Amino acid sequence: MNNAVLKEIQGRTGILTINRPDAMNALNDEVMNGLTAGLDEFENNESIHCVIISGSEKAFAAGADIAAMRNYEYIDVYRDNFISRNWERLKTFRKPTIAAVAGYALGGGCEVAMMCDMVFAADNAKFSLPEIKIGTLPGAGATQRLPRAVGKALAMDLCFTGRMLSASEALQFGLVSRVYPKADLMAETLAQARDIAAYSLPALMMMKESLSRSFETPLNEGLAFERKMLYATFALEDRKEGMNAFIEKRPASFRNR
Ligand code: DAK
């Protein structure tokens, strides 16, 4: 970990907060290495069931660090495996993740939010893919994830124009699933994370794996995978406990096994 990313644990929720206030939380190696290290730690910590990625009230992240990137040549980004090297740990993270977005989520910031399983926004959140304004394209997933999230027409519109989307528009088009008043964003996100974290971790992980497959596979293969995952839940003690608790009209006590 490092100072560019703050780590906190509340109950079963791990929180990683991007912390570069002088640069609108622009994403440089320090931030991305910090996020990667934090996620590695939370993945290995059995008591963590859900992770929140957040920024400040002003900026979730205003994109990749332009100052760091501006002198890069092709050979630098190719040789150093730019982006792929340390931006994609979220892609392989197996527990549920929530991006809590207040303020700017621009370019790479919006892309990091889209790598999370859920995006909750404050009412001051602003999303955009402004790379066209600096002569490049969103290269950390937006050309693929944005059309899947909001559809072709809006994705093309946002990428070609670089215009900002408000929190309520983002909700309307499915880029985020909830919008809260700015002052309530973290408390509400934590409350939701706490509820999710109370469920069976292996059931959550199997569900995440199955949902994530839907973006990678044709329908019939995805359905077959889902069915195998469903059968797998029948090997869980927690599945038995959940069903017994329902029948016995008592709260379930999951042991994450
Ligand atoms: N990088 C570096 N510094 C940034 C920054 C950024 N993305 N965004 C803001 N800052 C810095 C500003 O330079 C300023 O620094 P000082 O002048 O104080 O030293 C400080 O943060 C405060 O910013 P402003 O003074 O501009 O504050 P305002 O409130 O006036 O404006 C803003 C806030 C967020 C609207 C504005 O800062 C802005 O437009 N920022 C740039 C947004 C942007 O273009 N983001 C996209 C970055 S490009 C690739 C893969 C991925 C990508 C590229 C290539 N390959 C695989 C090759 C991804 C690219 C991007 O994300």
Side-chain angles (χ1 to χ4, degrees):
M1 296 300 298
N2 53 49
N3 287 337
V5 175
L6 309 176
K7 188 192 68 179
E8 199 189 328
I9 293 177
Q10 286 202 25
R12 291 174 167 180
T13 302
I15 306 159
L16 297 172
T17 305
I18 303 169
N19 178 44
R20 286 190 75 205
D22 296 343
M24 291 277 170
N25 283 346
L27 304 170
N28 61 5
D29 269 343
E30 215 187 343
V31 174
M32 299 322 291
N33 291 338
L35 286 177
T36 301
L39 289 166
D40 282 344
E41 200 177 315
F42 290 154
E43 188 98 271
N44 291 328
N45 183 339
E46 278 183 25
S47 70
I48 299 291
H49 289 198
C50 187
V51 168
I52 298 172
I53 312 269
S54 73
S56 70
E57 286 200 351
K58 257 193 193 163
F60 177 75
D65 189 319
I66 301 169
M69 280 192 301
R70 71 176 177 154
N71 292 323
Y72 284 177
E73 300 289 345
Y74 170 79
I75 185 60
D76 302 313
V77 289
Y78 180 75
R79 182 196 54 215
D80 297 346
N81 210 14
F82 183 50
I83 304 291
S84 308
R85 181 181 68 225
N86 55 3
W87 279 56
E88 298 192 310
R89 181 62 180 87
L90 277 164
K91 224 170 66 173
T92 55
F93 192 73
R94 299 177 70 203
K95 302 172 185 179
T97 55
I98 308 175
V101 176
Y104 296 110
L106 313 184
C110 185
E111 291 175 302
V112 167
M114 283 192 289
M115 285 180 209
C116 293
D117 300 320
M118 287 171 282
V119 187
F120 295 173
D123 52 9
N124 75 333
K126 293 185 187 68
F127 299 86
S128 88
L129 285 309
E131 283 83 350
I132 194 60
K133 297 181 181 175
I134 55 169
T136 183
L137 59 81
T143 67
Q144 306 304 303
R145 291 194 180 95
L146 192 61
R148 283 167 168 79
V150 303
K152 173 198 161 196
L154 185 61
M156 295 268 183
D157 174 338
L158 292 174
C159 290
F160 288 162
T161 64
R163 76 181 171 91
M164 298 258 190
L165 209 60
S166 68
S168 58
E169 289 172 305
L171 181 65
Q172 183 187 342
F173 296 113
L175 184 58
V176 311
S177 60
R178 307 197 194 184
V179 177
Y180 296 111
K182 184 177 71 175
D184 301 337
L185 175 69
M186 278 317 287
E188 294 283 359
T189 306
L190 269 162
Q192 190 54 79
R194 193 181 51 232
D195 287 352
I196 292 170
Y199 293 127
S200 161
L201 181 59
L204 286 168
M205 289 167 69
M206 287 179 191
M207 189 175 286
K208 172 166 174 165
E209 204 178 335
S210 196
L211 283 159
S212 303
R213 276 289 168 114
S214 71
F215 298 103
E216 314 287 345
T217 53
L219 180 61
N220 270 328
E221 275 178 41
L223 290 170
F225 183 82
E226 177 197 79
R227 203 60 37 83
K228 288 192 170 63
M229 282 284 123
L230 170 72
Y231 295 160
T233 65
F234 278 72
L236 295 174
E237 283 178 20
D238 287 346
R239 195 275 315 165
K240 276 199 185 81
E241 164 62 11
M243 292 188 180
N244 285 338
F246 176 82
I247 297 298
E248 292 160 18
K249 300 190 188 309
R250 60 171 174 81
S253 173
F254 294 122
R255 296 181 59 219
N256 305 305
R257 306 171 58 83

